[in-house]
Amino acid sequence: QVQLVESGGGLVQPGGSLRLSCVASGRIFSIYDMGWYRQAPGKQRELVAAITSDGTTYVESVKGRFTISRDNAKNTVFVQMNSLKPEDTAVYYCHALIRTTWWGDKGYDYWGQGTQVTVSS
């Protein structure tokens, strides 16, 4: 009913940049929150950045390097990743809290399939 499709991952050298995009489609009445998580091998999935009605939030390790933004008209969220480091290597997942019906206000969690980001020389 709802799909999140990510794009923009790849291989980049340390110090380089990437921009990830995620488009939500399907049965969407409104989108509350959107964000990006990542999971490195052997580690738990962690929140990288999120954008909500209250503003934006970032994990400490990416502050000043990553910028999250959103195009509400296109149901799209972006994250611009600059000054990438090898420790940023992970699978990045898009997340959205989406209201799918016109009645009520409950939102449901949806996830993208993930996109690999590898930072290596």
Side-chain angles (χ1 to χ4, degrees):
Q1 291 184 342
V2 174
Q3 282 189 318
L4 302 183
V5 179
E6 301 116 332
S7 60
L11 173 65
V12 63
Q13 292 186 342
S17 298
L18 283 174
R19 188 186 193 217
L20 304 183
S21 302
C22 172
V23 180
S25 62
R27 187 178 178 181
I28 297 171
F29 184 81
S30 63
I31 301 177
Y32 293 134
D33 306 338
M34 299 190 84
W36 292 92
Y37 287 70
R38 67 186 179 187
Q39 187 166 20
K43 295 188 177 181
Q44 289 189 329
R45 189 176 296 190
E46 67 170 351
L47 174 65
V48 175
I51 186 165
T52 72
S53 58
D54 295 328
T56 58
T57 186
Y58 298 91
V59 67
E60 189 65 33
S61 61
V62 308
K63 286 181 180 179
R65 300 188 297 121
F66 290 13
T67 303
I68 190 170
S69 60
R70 182 171 166 176
D71 184 338
N72 291 327
K74 297 182 178 180
N75 292 337
T76 301
V77 64
F78 308 94
V79 62
Q80 177 67 42
M81 306 186 295
N82 298 328
S83 302
L84 283 161
K85 304 175 181 180
E87 50 263 43
D88 294 317
T89 296
V91 178
Y92 284 70
Y93 296 91
C94 177
H95 168 265
L97 183 64
I98 299 175
R99 176 180 168 185
T100 57
T101 60
W102 61 266
W103 63 89
D105 59 3
K106 181 175 175 59
Y108 296 88
D109 294 296
Y110 292 92
W111 294 88
Q113 79 285 356
T115 185
Q116 178 70 46
V117 171
T118 302
V119 184
S120 175
S121 55

